[in-house]
Amino acid sequence: MATVCTLAWVHGLVQGVGFRYSTQREGLKLGLTGYARNMDDGSVEVLACGEAQQVEKLIAWLKAGGPRSARVDKVLTEPHQPDRQWADFSIRY
């Protein structure tokens, strides 16, 4: 299986509600690598790399609203060619 990477920006009430931790747990459960990090504009950036079907599952989870404590207004995505390999799914600061 070819590895694909997708970069996503999640907008809404997604900071201060455990969004990055829930995304990390979901990404690890799906066998993905990448990261979740808070952005200065209040959004969360998510990089997900792995089997295309698993990456799509994570993006669908993000679009469905992520954790219960969050409110997702929109998710923007684009294909991404990372300049490095990720060993696991982490939280970046």
Side-chain angles (χ1 to χ4, degrees), residues 17-82:
V17 293
F19 197 90
R20 291 173 300 160
Y21 299 97
S22 296
T23 302
Q24 178 189 37
R25 189 170 57 246
E26 196 69 19
L28 291 170
K29 188 170 84 176
L30 292 169
L32 302 176
T33 61
Y35 63 82
R37 73 172 167 186
N38 285 345
M39 303 302 286
D40 291 339
D41 67 358
S43 66
V44 172
E45 179 181 85
V46 177
L47 174 66
C49 299
E51 196 177 304
Q53 186 176 13
Q54 299 302 87
V55 170
E56 283 303 315
K57 284 181 184 178
L58 182 66
I59 299 303
W61 180 83
L62 294 171
K63 289 180 177 179
R68 282 192 304 247
S69 54
R71 186 195 78 240
V72 173
D73 295 333
K74 68 179 174 180
V75 178
L76 305 172
T77 62
E78 68 179 37
H80 184 67
Q81 289 293 343

Side-chain angles (χ1 to χ4, degrees), residues 80-91:
H80 184 67
Q81 289 293 343
D83 52 4
R84 58 172 281 203
Q85 293 284 336
W86 299 92
D88 59 6
F89 202 98
S90 60
I91 294 171

